[in-house]
Amino acid sequence: MSSEENVILNIDDACISYGGDLAVRNVSLQIFEKKITAIIGPSGCGKSTLLRSLNRMNDFIHGCEQSGRISFRDEDLYGDKMDPVEVRLRIGMVFQRPNPFPKSIYRNVAWGPDINGLEGDLDDRVEKALRQSALWDEVKDRLHESALNLSGGQQQRLCIARALAMEPEIILMDEPCSALDPVSTARIEDLLFELKENYTIVIVTHNMQQAARVSQHTAFLENGVLVEYGDTEEVFTNPKNKRTEEYVTGRFG
Amino acid sequence: MKTVKPRYLENSLQVVFFMCAAISTITTVAVIGILAFETWGFLQHVSIVEFLFGTRWSPLLHPKSYGLLPLLAGTTLIVVGASLVALPIGLACAIYLSEYAGERARNVLKPVLEVLAGIPTVVYGFFALTFVTPILRTVLPQTDVFNAASAAIVVGIMVLPMVASLCDDAFRAVPDNLREGAYSLGATSFEVTTRVVVPAGLSGVFAAFVLAISRAIGETMAVTLAAGATPNLTLNPLESIQTMTAYIVQVSLGDTPAGTLTYQTLFAVAAVLFLVTLCLNIAANMIMKRFQEVYE
């Protein structure tokens, strides 16, 4: 990895367990600024758990415990001085299933900036976020209709717009295309290409082609263990580990 | 060709189940029929305008008068008072239960609420009379021994578990991924609750409110014991009043001969009571239906 890349998140020896069962074991890796990092691996390998630990969404899960250190711009993400609400304000998230609020399209995007009192004109912010998520042209004439009338793919792009409206430093995406059809998936991948100019993205996916297409770095997790981490091209064309090779060539998983 | 063996058990069971279903339907229809018949008889002697808009209710003592408004005012006082107690506290209780309470607090609170709902209403009645009323009379000495406020407070406590439980159901039906979506945008628990969960469960909350009001209207024992038996066209909760239900109790317990006009007032008042609660229940059902469609 080249030296001009800045580490924005440093995960050091992270272990995460649910009620005593270890889901993530001694994982250490760095997330680089303004790059897309993909986390791949078979179902149940702990990739979503790892992702959710990066903006403290695991705080809501009863019996979830964590050790090791995760630093966000050199500050301890789980330190006493870190406010979890502030963490989620700076590190946004898009979930596996589209989860728009049962409100209008406009209110969905404006919700975060509104409650957090972000500066600037709300209308401009909503329009900008919807343009960035390539949804503006489809919804500009019906901003005040319910978001639940949108298609699944549109809803997911709305959720991305909702996250973008907060102008977070990092966006975490947890299998954002797994509930979508191929056309919607392609649109979201196009979107990721555009977003990486300005945003740091960590995407969990079980779709290896997707990881290969969109990311610069790829981490391969199996049974909670980080098997391999490196440049995406390396991981897919010249993996160092036998298990990685078997997984990326589709022999299991 | 094999012949199909008739399934006697199956067929006879079907008849049994049908009968069970029929009984409840027939009962309802019969009650409505009798109410309508006797009310019709009553309206032959008293005009509907006098009945619904008359301001004096005195079917037992001369000069007789059949204006329902004093009883309606009495019922309204109880409903408004009970709502003031039950709706805000019930809603807050539900918010605590669904959004803030841990597993252990929930496991204690939920059963306690159910016990509260299971206390016989007559117990609430003498609780009002022997406990709430003396307190009220200490604080506000002008309070009558029998008064609307005391009854309204215990009716409120009586319907509170229902409000809390139904609102809690409504909030728990809000999918967790909406909460997660809100948290991921930097919301606090309070913002998630007040700006996502409560609005998303709002129709369930309204339905709970309507059902609670409907129960408060029909509540009988506590108001008979604590609110008095004075048909009184007043909006002062410290005075003795009479509700529609309490009137029905009063006359039913007396020795009114069947077929008299006084006897028919029972059915006329009951018909009004029935229509009001029916409308409220239909309203609650319609609201509930809307609420169910939201996440499908």
Side-chain angles (χ1 to χ4, degrees), chain A residues 52 55 57 60 85 88-89 91-93 95 98-103 107 111-112 114-116 148 162-163 166, chain B residues 102-103 174 176-189 191-192 194-197 199-200 293-295:
Chain A
R52 291 170 59 95
N55 69 339
M57 288 303 284
F60 304 112
V85 172
R88 293 182 210 110
L89 213 135
I91 307 180
M93 190 163 205
F95 297 84
N99 58 349
F101 302 130
K103 302 177 191 288
R107 293 303 319 159
W111 198 86
D114 193 18
I115 61 158
N116 289 300
L148 301 181
R162 191 171 70 177
M166 297 295 296
Chain B
E103 202 75 1
V174 175
D176 263 343
N177 66 12
L178 285 189
R179 292 185 182 86
E180 290 199 327
Y183 278 121
S184 76
L185 295 168
T188 61
S189 294
E191 286 160 344
V192 173
T194 54
R195 306 189 60 165
V196 173
V197 178
E293 281 165 3
V294 173
Y295 301 111

Side-chain angles (χ1 to χ4, degrees), chain A residues 80-141:
Chain A
D80 294 337
K81 273 183 274 172
M82 198 60 101
D83 174 7
V85 172
E86 163 102 19
V87 168
R88 293 182 210 110
L89 213 135
R90 293 169 63 188
I91 307 180
M93 190 163 205
V94 176
F95 297 84
Q96 204 165 343
R97 293 171 59 89
N99 58 349
F101 302 130
K103 302 177 191 288
S104 72
I105 293 166
Y106 180 91
R107 293 303 319 159
N108 260 278
V109 183
W111 198 86
D114 193 18
I115 61 158
N116 289 300
L118 297 193
E119 283 173 17
D121 188 73
L122 210 52
D123 291 355
D124 291 345
R125 199 178 264 276
V126 169
E127 178 173 343
K128 189 178 164 209
L130 284 169
R131 281 190 191 281
Q132 279 179 317
S133 65
L135 196 59
W136 177 253
D137 290 334
E138 291 159 61
V139 301
K140 63 179 179 217
D141 298 323

Side-chain angles (χ1 to χ4, degrees), chain B:
Chain B
M1 219 172 86
K2 240 174 90 179
T3 56
V4 180
K5 240 170 67 187
R7 297 194 169 90
Y8 295 114
L9 184 66
E10 180 96 7
N11 293 339
S12 54
L13 274 179
Q14 195 180 343
V15 173
V16 171
F17 292 137
F18 173 77
M19 299 286 279
C20 293
I23 286 171
S24 61
T25 316
I26 291 167
T27 316
T28 312
V29 171
V31 168
I32 295 172
I34 292 167
L35 279 183
F37 178 77
E38 296 286 354
T39 305
W40 178 251
F42 171 77
L43 290 176
Q44 299 309 304
H45 300 282
V46 179
S47 79
I48 191 154
V49 175
E50 189 198 336
F51 177 53
L52 290 181
F53 301 106
T55 55
R56 207 175 139 260
W57 181 256
S58 176
L60 303 173
L61 301 171
H62 286 284
K64 296 203 174 181
S65 169
Y66 302 94
L68 190 65
L69 282 184
L71 295 187
L72 274 177
T75 296
T76 307
L77 265 181
I78 297 294
V79 168
V80 170
S83 302
L84 288 178
V85 174
L87 306 191
I89 300 179
L91 183 61
C93 190
I95 287 174
Y96 176 72
L97 275 176
S98 101
E99 304 302 310
Y100 290 94
E103 202 75 1
R104 279 168 70 188
R106 221 186 131 74
N107 286 344
V108 173
L109 274 172
K110 263 285 204 185
V112 168
L113 273 181
E114 272 147 32
V115 168
L116 205 57
I119 295 173
T121 58
V122 66
V123 176
Y124 281 105
F126 72 73
F127 174 73
L129 204 53
T130 59
F131 184 73
V132 180
T133 301
I135 294 178
L136 279 178
R137 280 165 69 85
T138 314
V139 182
L140 301 161
Q142 71 271 36
T143 311
D144 290 345
V145 175
F146 296 103
N147 64 80
S150 170
I153 290 169
V154 295
V155 172
I157 295 170
M158 205 183 297
V159 298
L160 192 152
M162 191 174 80
V163 175
S165 178
L166 287 175
C167 290
D168 178 47
D169 290 346
F171 296 149
R172 286 169 80 80
V174 175
D176 263 343
N177 66 12
L178 285 189
R179 292 185 182 86
E180 290 199 327
Y183 278 121
S184 76
L185 295 168
T188 61
S189 294
F190 182 72
E191 286 160 344
V192 173
T193 304
T194 54
R195 306 189 60 165
V196 173
V197 178
V198 174
L202 204 57
S203 34
V205 171
F206 281 140
F209 284 5
V210 175
L211 285 174
I213 289 170
S214 154
R215 233 201 101 184
I217 290 174
E219 170 44 37
T220 308
M221 267 335 278
V223 293
T224 305
L225 282 175
T230 326
N232 189 354
L233 186 54
T234 178
L235 289 177
N236 179 358
L238 303 180
E239 285 177 29
S240 171
I241 51 118
Q242 187 168 42
T243 64
M244 292 189 277
T245 50
Y247 171 74
I248 293 172
V249 172
Q250 185 195 5
V251 176
S252 303
L253 291 178
D255 46 3
T256 310
T260 62
L261 191 54
T262 311
Y263 173 79
Q264 284 175 327
T265 58
L266 279 183
F267 294 89
V269 172
V272 171
L273 202 54
F274 170 75
L275 282 179
V276 172
T277 43
L278 179 73
C279 291
L280 285 174
N281 285 340
I282 290 173
N285 266 323
M286 281 165 60
I287 299 170
M288 287 275 222
K289 249 192 208 131
R290 237 200 74 208
F291 158 69
Q292 279 163 355
E293 281 165 3
V294 173
Y295 301 111
E296 277 170 11

Side-chain angles (χ1 to χ4, degrees), chain A residues 33-103:
Chain A
E33 204 169 1
K34 297 196 175 158
K35 295 283 186 268
I36 301 182
T37 305
I39 305 177
I40 59 169
S43 298
C45 71
K47 50 194 191 303
S48 290
T49 304
L50 180 63
L51 188 79
R52 291 170 59 95
S53 73
L54 302 182
N55 69 339
R56 300 196 54 170
M57 288 303 284
N58 285 337
D59 290 14
F60 304 112
I61 294 176
H62 197 68
C64 184
E65 281 177 50
Q66 173 148 5
S67 68
R69 186 187 159 95
I70 300 175
S71 334
F72 172 37
R73 295 194 190 281
D74 297 325
E75 276 181 273
D76 185 356
L77 198 68
Y78 284 79
D80 294 337
K81 273 183 274 172
M82 198 60 101
D83 174 7
V85 172
E86 163 102 19
V87 168
R88 293 182 210 110
L89 213 135
R90 293 169 63 188
I91 307 180
M93 190 163 205
V94 176
F95 297 84
Q96 204 165 343
R97 293 171 59 89
N99 58 349
F101 302 130
K103 302 177 191 288

